[in-house]
Amino acid sequence: MEMDEMLEELVETIKEHYEKREFQQIKTILGELNPADIAVLLEEFPENQRLLLFRLLPKEEAADTFVELDPDTQETLIHGITDTELREVLDELYLDDTVDIIEEMPATLVKRILRNTDAETRKSINALLKYPEDSAGSLMTPEFVDLKKDMSVEDAFKRIRRTGVDKETIYTCYVTDAQRHLLGVTTVKELLLHDYDDLIEEFMETNVIYVNTLDDQEVAAQQLSKYNFLALPVVDMEERLVGIITIDDAIDVMQEENTEDIQKMNAMLPTEKTYLKTSVFETWKSRFPWLLLLMVSATFTGSIITAFEDKLAALTILTAFIPMLMDTGGNSGGQASVTVIRAMSLGEVNFKDYFRVVWKELRVGFICGVSLAAVNFLKIWFIDKLAFQNDEITLIIDLAICLTLIVEIVFAKFIGCSLPMLAKKIGFDPAVMSSPFITTIVDAVSLLVFFGISSAVIPQLR
């Protein structure tokens, strides 16, 4: 909250200086801010003022700020600046950031961006663009420090000083052979702790953890998180080092994946735009298909109720407990699905654990069912029957409702843990098999179980 208030004050201050044409004061204010904060601040100004403020930034800070802006703002700035200014920004960007920008731009702007890069950069950009979307290859940067195993520590420092200025990180250094095969890894800390005459091969780590260019970018992000790396090497099919993925890119991936999962788990099609940047029509388009599917599928529950209409007419008190049974079943299935989907996304569970997961959820479901049934039995008997003097409720009806609770909760837990794992196995995103979808299935089953048990044990319904 304090940061928001500070930015609001800065916006007002800059607006005052802008009206007075005091651009040097604005430049001083911007120079004291982090690029991420400048990007947020620029969003508060109209397009023409935003362009002038961007031009006040030094080249390096302008490039860092440009990366933090959303694609729509980047597009308007590219339209507004000259080729010379664009070239200066691109020269300061890391290659992976340039590729990310190109992927979000329309074809006309892509041509202009490529026209303002040198031949070597264009070649590297085209190579990265060939990798599948959301793969480790599309996320990596080819700008890393590579060393040779027969180098001394002194030689290594010379190479870092000579080449490190253009690299995204110089802390982690990778050891390769003449064919660029990945042999080992070391850090600047290790180099500082050894004598200048020591050879790299004497202390480099040879058990290197890496990902392949075709691996999913989420796998790379999980590896960085699991091992607390600052960077992760990426190799091709011949295990030649072609790039690295840095922790800042991994954080972006995890945020995007989490947002996408949340959207899918709440029956929405994923969108890459922020909430306020997404139009009403786009929001409708992302929500309507799932709502339509769920609405149509929910008609099955209505059909089930209609099929047992004569039994409900014979004993109307049963109608009062249908919402409670359906909600409890849906909530139980939702708990299991969310837990399993999260465990799968963190790599804690995979399909080989299917039977262990099912066995665990069946036991949890049984304990939860018995516990809820016991509480519900007392609630129905002492509150619904005695306190409200409802003579329609009998002991056998109370038992039928509680028995339904146990059976439906066990079944809901089974469905909730099974569907995401089966979806993952056949190639679907497990987040699709989330609470709304599972709730619809469990609702229908809950009704069938309820009417089946009631018909079997209640004399009036036989």
Side-chain angles (χ1 to χ4, degrees):
M1 191 64 189
E2 293 179 358
M3 180 61 70
D4 291 340
E5 292 175 356
M6 185 191 76
L7 286 174
E8 288 178 10
E9 292 178 4
L10 284 174
V11 168
E12 294 302 319
T13 302
I14 291 174
K15 284 181 177 179
E16 292 176 6
H17 288 309
Y18 190 94
E19 291 174 359
K20 298 176 182 178
R21 320 300 288 177
E22 297 172 343
F23 298 123
Q24 186 57 47
Q25 286 87 336
I26 297 176
K27 189 174 183 179
T28 302
I29 293 172
L30 295 177
E32 296 174 352
L33 298 177
N34 184 282
D37 292 329
I38 297 175
V40 175
L41 187 144
L42 291 181
E43 298 286 350
E44 301 298 321
F45 290 86
E47 186 176 325
N48 60 328
Q49 294 182 5
R50 186 188 303 151
L51 179 60
L52 188 147
L53 294 176
F54 182 78
R55 282 175 164 155
L56 291 176
L57 298 171
K59 285 193 299 183
E60 187 173 342
E61 193 170 14
D64 292 339
T65 301
F66 191 83
V67 172
E68 300 292 338
L69 295 168
D70 67 68
D72 289 340
T73 305
Q74 290 175 342
E75 186 176 341
T76 57
L77 284 178
I78 292 175
H79 279 299
I81 60 180
T82 64
D83 282 352
T84 301
E85 291 172 320
L86 177 59
R87 196 175 301 114
E88 289 176 350
V89 170
L90 294 173
D91 287 344
E92 295 294 331
L93 292 179
Y94 292 116
L95 200 59
D96 59 329
D97 291 328
T98 305
V99 171
D100 289 340
I101 292 168
I102 286 174
E103 288 178 332
E104 299 291 341
M105 294 296 118
T108 53
L109 287 187
V110 170
K111 291 179 180 178
R112 186 182 171 202
I113 291 172
L114 293 176
R115 192 172 63 244
N116 284 282
T117 56
D118 57 66
E120 184 178 349
T121 302
R122 279 197 299 275
K123 182 179 178 182
S124 299
I125 289 172
N126 289 329
L128 290 177
L129 289 173
K130 289 179 182 177
Y131 291 110
E133 187 179 2
D134 296 334
S135 67
S138 68
L139 185 65
M140 71 181 184
T141 175
E143 297 164 323
F144 56 87
V145 175
D146 61 315
L147 307 173
K148 304 303 177 188
K149 66 178 183 178
D150 56 355
M151 278 184 174
S152 66
V153 171
E154 184 177 9
D155 292 334
F157 276 126
K158 287 180 180 178
R159 178 166 178 76
I160 292 171
R161 292 191 189 100
R162 187 173 66 252
T163 64
V165 66
D166 296 322
K167 309 304 180 185
E168 188 152 350
T169 179
I170 63 171
Y171 179 76
T172 306
C173 306
Y174 301 93
V175 184
T176 60
D177 61 16
Q179 288 76 41
R180 294 188 292 112
H181 292 117
L182 182 60
L183 302 178
V185 62
T186 189
T187 64
V188 171
K189 177 182 177 181
E190 286 290 330
L191 294 173
L192 288 170
L193 295 176
H194 284 82
D195 295 330
Y196 274 177
D197 295 334
D198 291 347
L199 298 180
I200 301 296
E201 64 180 334
E202 294 173 358
F203 57 85
M204 70 180 186
E205 176 62 56
T206 56
N207 183 25
V208 186
I209 295 169
Y210 57 83
V211 291
N212 187 275
T213 52
L214 300 181
D215 288 341
D216 192 282
Q217 62 180 12
E218 192 172 2
V219 173
Q222 288 171 351
Q223 294 284 67
L224 279 161
S225 174
K226 179 179 179 180
Y227 296 105
N228 295 319
F229 289 158
L230 296 177
L232 183 70
V234 183
V235 302
D236 61 15
M237 302 307 292
E238 285 78 36
E239 294 193 5
R240 292 175 300 190
L241 182 62
V242 292
I244 62 171
I245 296 174
T246 51
I247 186 64
D248 58 322
D249 292 324
I251 291 173
D252 291 340
V253 168
M254 289 187 283
Q255 182 176 336
E256 291 169 5
E257 294 291 343
N258 288 339
T259 301
E260 183 177 311
D261 286 347
I262 289 170
Q263 290 171 331
K264 287 181 179 178
M265 291 170 68
N266 288 278
M268 293 186 291
L269 296 176
T271 176
E272 295 182 357
K273 292 184 178 181
T274 60
Y275 176 77
L276 292 178
K277 292 284 184 180
T278 307
S279 68
V280 172
F281 178 76
E282 289 173 321
T283 303
W284 167 82
K285 192 167 63 173
S286 71
R287 298 180 185 181
F288 176 74
W290 269 107
L291 289 174
L292 178 63
L293 176 62
L294 293 173
M295 181 187 73
V296 172
S297 61
T299 59
F300 289 111
T301 59
S303 301
I304 294 170
I305 293 175
T306 302
F308 290 92
E309 192 173 1
D310 56 333
K311 297 185 182 296
L312 288 175
L315 198 60
T316 56
I317 189 61
L318 295 179
T319 308
F321 298 100
I322 289 177
M324 179 273 294
L325 291 171
M326 292 174 64
D327 287 348
T328 304
N331 292 336
S332 299
Q335 285 180 335
S337 69
V338 169
T339 304
V340 170
I341 290 170
R342 184 58 180 161
M344 291 172 69
S345 69
L346 295 175
E348 299 171 353
V349 169
N350 52 49
F351 192 73
K352 69 180 178 63
D353 302 309
Y354 175 77
F355 291 105
R356 291 176 60 193
V357 172
V358 169
W359 176 232
K360 177 178 180 177
E361 289 297 332
L362 288 177
R363 288 178 290 169
V364 171
F366 179 75
I367 296 172
C368 287
V370 171
S371 303
L372 290 173
V375 173
N376 196 56
F377 180 86
L378 297 175
K379 180 261 181 188
I380 292 174
W381 192 256
F382 288 104
I383 296 179
D384 295 344
K385 178 177 175 59
L386 300 181
F388 291 106
Q389 298 181 345
N390 194 331
D391 296 330
E392 284 188 85
I393 297 175
T394 63
L395 182 62
I396 198 68
I397 290 176
D398 197 353
L399 289 173
I401 294 168
C402 295
L403 184 58
T404 299
L405 263 179
I406 297 173
V407 174
E408 74 163 3
I409 289 174
V410 171
F411 180 83
K413 295 293 186 185
F414 170 73
I415 291 295
C417 71
S418 293
L419 286 185
M421 300 189 75
L422 293 172
K424 180 73 172 179
K425 180 64 176 177
I426 61 178
F428 288 106
D429 190 331
V432 174
M433 301 297 178
S434 55
S435 296
F437 192 80
I438 289 172
T439 298
T440 303
I441 297 174
V442 172
D443 283 350
V445 173
S446 298
L447 288 173
L448 290 173
V449 171
F450 182 41
F451 289 127
I453 291 176
S454 299
S455 300
V457 303
I458 299 176
Q460 299 96 304
L461 302 181
R462 292 174 186 170

